[in-house]
Amino acid sequence: MHELHSPLQKSTPNLEGAFKYLKQHVGNEPFSPELVRGLEAAAGVGVVVTPQQIDATVDRHISKVKSQLQEQRYAFPTVQLFREIREELIWADGGAVKKATDAALLSLLGPKTEADLQAGKKPAKKAAPAAAAEKGSGRGTAAAAVQALQEEATPSHDVYGHLPKPEENDKVHKVVTFSSEAGGCEMRIANTPAQLQAHLKATGGKVVTRFPPEPNGYLHIGHAKAMFVSFGMAEQLNGDCILRFDDTNPEAEKQEYIDHIQDIVSWMGWTPSKVTYSSDYFQQLYELSIQLIKEGHAYVDHQTADQIKTSRKNREASPWRDRPVAESLALFEDMRRGLMDEGKATLRMRGDHKNDVAVMWDLIAYRVKFARHPHAGDTWCIYPSYDYTHCLVDALENITHSLCTLEFETRRASYYWLLEVLQQYKPVVWEYARLNLTYNVLSKRKLNKLVTQGFVQAWDDPRLLTLAGLRRRGVTSVGINNFCREIGITRTGGELPLHILDFHVRGDLHLTSPRTLAVLHPLRVVITNLADDHFEMMDAKASSSGNTRQLRAAPPASLLVFPFPGRDATYQVPFTRVVYIEQDDFREQDQKKYFGLAPGKSVLLRYAYVITCTNVVKEGEKVVEVHAEGRKVKDDEKPPKGVLHWVGQPQPGQEPPRFEARLYDRLFTTQTPGSKKKKPDEGEDASANAAQGEFEEEQEEEEEQAGDTWLNELNPNSQTIITGCMANIHLAKAKAGDRFQFERQGFFCVDSDSTSGKLVCNRTCTLNESKDK
């Protein structure tokens, strides 16, 4: 037995250095003095870094960037500076290094001024968020959005820069501390050199991520962010991203959902390196569960679901926890052969039921379910749980970086414990904040209730934030990816205002939606000084070329649903004796600052004539027709301030095409429907909730007990249907999915409910942001 010459400091660098050295150099051979000296050097034993050395190192690094610091002051990325200093002073106290760095910066720059504080605030939004990535034919695609993120980010702002590279994945991932009843020891979990080398050989050293949705519903806007994170990392680092269906619950999963997910991933602009299913690994998972039983890490349990919940809550052992291995193997075989009824037995992982971390309380690994699997068929009647499957399939697929949202952070202990006891490769796990938007819900349980109980039409109802619903409403994948790019990838949670999404959607639609004229509430106008058969084709602008704030260039036709005519292109609209304007654009009494039509007042019909109201026809109190005289605008004449959109007859005496318009508002009247409870990733570190158990299950249980009060907050005016709208003749040729800008009205998309005899258009968003956000 050899002792260290000086005590080992318990800082992270000291411990990791020691652990790495021991893994690489210590086997069954005696612990020689040479190994002790090597361990001391690797762990920094006896190394003393004086305050003078810290000050000298800090001064040297600051002098290298002194001019940049003086120019940028406190806007300079000091995180990178501190990281470089810390890497050189690896054995120094981190707090002392930070204190010395801050003092040196204060000495150089002085206290923060008002200008420094203003500079630190979030900059105003850029004028053209939708044109973030114009790179030839790739402009606007998901990959282009990631490319723009990569180009704009400095090294200190690289969202993936803090994660270890595949070849660096040999550090301690997790320290699992066991209760005194389980021995009171610590399990320091990391890849062995052999595991890492085997992994690098299989992947060629590439980054491999995965997007693993469960096919039990439609994807929503939160999944768009998850795709942007996982596919985006692979895109940025020239790696691979696997689309994996996490299909371990056959009762909730359908082929419909599988097909939908593949369709949406493609629509969002992502191409997976391959498509896999967790069920592809059912045989390997079963064999690993046998190994788990044989090594004493799993047992067959006969407690009911309620009994398991109670015993876990009280940290009590199952009566069958210490049953013989042979007995568990025999019973598990009965489960596999279908000789056990559902609910009569489960296979549980033998973790640590007294542990402070709830995910170590003997989680379920397998349960009996006599249900046909949408992908595996009738091969199995036992199905693995998420907690058992997820980490093992990550390892089997050689995932380098397992990226997920913060609610999964408390599962790290069980994730790495299972991989360690089964001697499997361990990916890097990193959690980020989930996406929440105001005035809507993203919980699959709540979405399912809205759909199945008829509160909305279907999973693709345009009022929902499902990606199918957003697509049907007319939102583009480019707009969604630009939104994901802007909000970034952080661990700071909270709800985002819905209008931020609208801003990016509107920005892309300005670029890609051809203009047309349409009226939602038609009012007949007869231009009395024109002949009955008057027919004239007027040139109208087909694109938003006048909107220089948003427009950059017309995108390639391959990115558009409806053919985009080009930046300065025009199209023709028929102008006849009878035209139709909006009812709101006429008043019987003129008013100051009102620019619409009124008796004796003149307005310009956009692209056409100036008309002056001469008479009004009413039925009772309602105005049903306006008479006017029209004339062309003279070359040297200043046109009226009032400019109205209108629709003419396709031919004299022929009514314009009619359509149904559907206008959408917020789905809920409250900002956060039914939730007064703060979620762990909203303003708090989710790890603080580790001892409280799986909060997601607890929250759903509390919601069920409290009832679905959130349904009372549904907005009864979330959808307004207007019939009898009129449009120019070319709109009649549009098909489902075609998008337009109705001048002065908003952006609209042809709905899938449209038929040959009935055109339906959804308003995607208004032309400008509403004052009531």
Side-chain angles (χ1 to χ4, degrees):
M1 183 70 179
H2 292 269
E3 294 184 359
L4 299 180
H5 297 108
S6 300
L8 174 62
Q9 301 298 317
K10 294 183 179 180
S11 68
T12 299
N14 294 118
L15 294 173
E16 286 188 349
F19 188 69
K20 183 176 180 179
Y21 181 86
L22 290 172
K23 284 202 309 177
Q24 293 176 343
H25 297 89
V26 178
N28 296 323
E29 67 276 8
F31 208 87
S32 64
E34 290 76 14
L35 284 177
V36 172
R37 286 192 291 272
L39 174 60
E40 290 177 334
V45 173
V47 176
V48 177
V49 182
T50 67
Q52 292 77 16
Q53 289 175 307
I54 293 176
D55 291 339
T57 304
V58 169
D59 290 341
R60 178 159 39 82
H61 279 271
I62 286 182
S63 66
K64 292 179 183 178
V65 292
K66 184 176 180 179
S67 59
Q68 296 99 306
L69 278 167
Q70 291 174 327
E71 179 182 353
Q72 300 178 38
R73 291 183 58 77
Y74 288 99
F76 183 86
T78 55
V79 173
Q80 178 67 16
L81 175 65
F82 179 74
R83 184 184 296 124
E84 293 172 356
I85 296 171
R86 193 73 180 91
E87 287 174 355
E88 183 171 339
L89 298 172
I90 188 171
W91 307 124
D93 177 69
V97 175
K98 181 68 166 61
K99 186 176 180 180
T101 305
D102 290 342
L105 290 172
L106 182 63
S107 175
L108 176 66
L109 304 177
K112 287 187 178 181
T113 64
E114 184 64 27
D116 293 324
L117 296 174
Q118 291 297 325
K121 291 184 178 180
K122 186 177 180 181
K125 290 179 179 176
K126 295 182 180 180
E134 290 181 29
K135 301 292 180 184
S137 61
R139 178 225 160 267
T141 62
V146 173
Q147 185 178 2
L149 176 65
Q150 184 177 8
E151 290 173 351
E152 290 188 6
T154 62
S156 61
H157 290 89
D158 180 2
V159 293
Y160 307 111
H162 66 287
L163 298 174
K165 296 179 176 62
E167 64 272 16
E168 298 171 346
N169 188 12
D170 59 353
K171 297 178 175 60
V172 175
H173 286 294
K174 183 70 178 178
V175 178
V176 178
T177 303
F178 290 88
S179 66
S180 58
E181 188 164 318
C185 59
E186 284 188 348
M187 179 183 284
R188 301 180 61 83
I189 301 172
N191 286 312
T192 65
Q195 288 171 342
L196 182 57
Q197 288 306 312
H199 162 78
L200 293 173
K201 183 178 180 180
T203 63
K206 296 176 68 175
V207 164
V208 183
T209 62
R210 82 287 179 271
F211 173 58
E214 181 181 359
N216 63 348
Y218 277 42
L219 301 184
H220 53 65
I221 188 73
H223 294 103
K225 177 178 178 179
M227 281 186 264
F228 192 85
V229 172
S230 292
F231 280 101
M233 181 177 185
E235 182 78 31
Q236 179 172 320
L237 301 177
N238 298 316
D240 293 330
C241 184
I242 297 170
L243 169 59
R244 181 205 305 159
F245 290 100
D246 183 20
D247 56 343
T248 59
N249 185 7
E251 295 172 330
E253 295 153 3
K254 298 179 182 178
Q255 186 63 42
E256 170 194 353
Y257 301 144
I258 293 174
D259 295 340
H260 156 76
I261 291 170
Q262 293 196 73
D263 174 48
I264 287 294
V265 170
S266 175
W267 176 70
M268 287 298 298
W270 302 114
T271 302
S273 57
K274 61 180 178 178
V275 178
T276 65
Y277 297 77
S278 292
S279 55
D280 294 339
Y281 304 93
F282 276 0
Q283 181 62 39
Q284 291 161 276
L285 294 173
Y286 170 74
E287 292 169 1
L288 288 170
S289 68
I290 296 297
Q291 177 185 338
L292 205 63
I293 297 172
K294 288 180 177 180
E295 294 178 0
H297 297 302
Y299 62 94
V300 173
D301 188 22
H302 300 290
Q303 288 183 300
T304 66
D306 288 339
Q307 288 172 335
I308 290 175
K309 184 180 294 185
T310 300
S311 65
R312 280 168 51 82
K313 184 176 181 180
N314 297 330
R315 304 193 195 184
E316 296 172 345
S318 164
W320 291 277
R321 193 172 194 268
D322 295 320
R323 75 188 328 159
V325 167
E327 191 175 312
S328 282
L329 287 170
L331 290 169
F332 190 51
E333 176 63 13
D334 289 344
M335 290 170 60
R336 187 192 67 81
R337 294 172 59 197
L339 302 179
M340 289 276 193
D341 293 335
E342 288 189 24
K344 296 298 183 182
T346 58
L347 181 69
R348 294 180 65 182
M349 293 178 272
R350 199 173 189 275
D352 178 9
H353 67 282
K354 293 289 188 180
N355 204 292
D356 290 336
V357 180
V359 292
M360 294 299 294
W361 299 344
D362 292 12
L363 296 176
I364 292 174
Y366 272 88
R367 67 274 202 219
V368 178
K369 286 182 180 290
F370 296 107
R372 180 177 177 79
H373 193 280
H375 184 67
D378 295 321
T379 305
W380 298 90
C381 64
I382 54 171
Y383 291 98
S385 67
Y386 170 87
D387 289 294
Y388 177 77
T389 305
H390 188 69
C391 57
L392 289 174
V393 177
D394 276 354
L396 294 171
E397 291 188 334
N398 276 296
I399 301 301
T400 61
H401 297 81
S402 180
L403 311 176
C404 51
T405 47
L406 275 172
E407 64 265 32
F408 294 99
E409 185 173 36
T410 55
R411 284 181 155 92
R412 277 200 189 191
S414 61
Y415 181 102
Y416 282 121
W417 170 83
L418 184 58
L419 293 178
E420 179 72 1
V421 297
L422 288 174
Q423 299 91 49
Q424 298 292 311
Y425 165 79
K426 302 153 194 77
V428 173
V429 174
W430 184 64
E431 300 87 1
Y432 55 89
R434 67 188 301 172
L435 174 60
N436 293 297
L437 290 173
T438 55
Y439 298 101
N440 220 300
V441 292
L442 296 180
S443 158
K444 278 191 177 180
R445 184 186 72 84
K446 291 181 178 179
L447 287 171
N448 187 65
K449 186 176 286 287
L450 289 174
V451 173
T452 57
Q453 296 191 9
F455 293 102
V456 294
Q457 295 175 358
W459 283 98
D460 66 346
D461 189 296
R463 291 168 290 183
L464 296 177
L465 291 180
T466 59
L467 294 175
L470 290 169
R471 177 169 63 176
R472 181 177 175 185
R473 185 164 174 165
V475 173
T476 66
S477 59
V478 176
I480 295 172
N481 280 319
N482 285 341
F483 164 72
C484 292
R485 172 176 166 268
E486 159 121 345
I487 63 177
I489 309 166
T490 69
R491 287 174 59 87
T492 303
E495 285 183 326
L496 292 175
L498 188 58
H499 69 82
I500 297 179
L501 173 62
D502 289 339
F503 176 83
H504 289 278
V505 171
R506 187 181 293 112
D508 185 61
L509 293 177
H510 266 297
L511 291 167
T512 60
S513 300
R515 285 183 171 189
T516 190
L517 296 172
V519 292
L520 304 186
H521 302 91
L523 175 61
R524 181 182 172 94
V525 177
V526 180
I527 306 175
T528 56
N529 62 328
L530 296 181
D532 290 344
D533 62 350
H534 182 89
F535 184 81
E536 192 174 355
M537 297 300 289
M538 316 301 291
D539 289 333
K541 289 185 177 181
S543 68
S544 302
S545 57
N547 192 341
T548 56
R549 184 179 70 85
Q550 297 268 6
L551 190 67
R552 287 294 179 270
S558 61
L559 294 178
L560 302 177
V561 180
F562 195 87
F564 195 80
R567 176 170 180 172
D568 299 315
T570 61
Y571 70 103
Q572 292 191 313
V573 293
F575 181 66
T576 53
R577 185 174 191 267
V578 175
V579 297
Y580 294 87
I581 65 173
E582 286 289 344
Q583 292 178 13
D584 289 344
D585 283 336
F586 176 80
R587 293 181 185 176
E588 291 187 79
Q589 297 293 328
D590 195 13
Q591 293 176 321
K592 188 178 181 180
K593 294 186 179 181
Y594 168 66
F595 300 111
L597 188 62
K601 186 177 181 179
S602 298
V603 296
L604 175 64
L605 296 180
R606 189 162 175 78
Y607 312 121
Y609 286 25
V610 172
I611 62 171
T612 304
C613 177
T614 58
N615 191 30
V616 178
V617 179
K618 300 174 68 174
E619 290 182 359
E621 296 298 318
K622 182 179 180 182
V623 176
V624 295
E625 186 174 284
V626 173
H627 293 175
E629 291 185 355
R631 60 179 176 82
K632 292 185 177 181
V633 181
K634 298 176 183 178
D635 291 340
D636 59 348
E637 179 185 0
K638 184 178 180 180
K641 287 186 177 180
V643 181
L644 308 184
H645 64 285
W646 54 278
V647 171
Q649 296 178 325
Q651 293 293 331
Q654 180 183 339
E655 289 293 282
R658 291 186 179 269
F659 68 95
E660 176 183 298
R662 297 175 181 174
L663 312 184
Y664 299 104
D665 199 354
R666 297 162 175 166
L667 184 57
F668 289 87
T669 58
T670 53
Q671 181 170 304
T672 309
S675 178
K676 297 179 181 178
K677 195 176 169 78
K678 183 187 285 186
K679 295 177 184 176
D681 64 324
E682 294 180 355
E684 293 181 353
D685 185 351
S687 63
N689 296 272
Q692 299 177 20
E694 294 118 326
F695 56 82
E696 209 171 32
E697 296 174 4
E698 293 176 356
Q699 185 177 347
E700 287 191 2
E701 182 180 349
E702 290 176 8
E703 288 176 353
E704 289 176 3
Q705 292 173 353
D708 291 316
T709 56
W710 58 278
L711 291 171
N712 299 330
E713 300 164 34
L714 281 166
N715 180 7
N717 301 314
S718 60
Q719 177 179 256
T720 301
I721 297 177
I722 306 172
T723 58
C725 308
M726 290 183 174
N728 279 305
I729 185 63
H730 69 277
L731 190 65
K733 303 176 183 178
K735 61 184 183 300
D738 287 345
R739 299 186 297 270
F740 298 89
Q741 179 188 150
F742 291 174
E743 293 202 40
R744 298 183 65 223
Q745 301 281 11
F747 296 99
F748 284 76
C749 178
V750 179
D751 189 76
S752 55
D753 284 346
S754 299
T755 63
S756 57
K758 179 185 177 183
L759 185 68
V760 179
C761 293
N762 299 319
R763 187 173 69 184
T764 308
C765 60
T766 56
L767 293 177
N768 297 295
E769 190 173 280
S770 170
K771 292 181 180 179
D772 179 19
K773 298 177 182 179

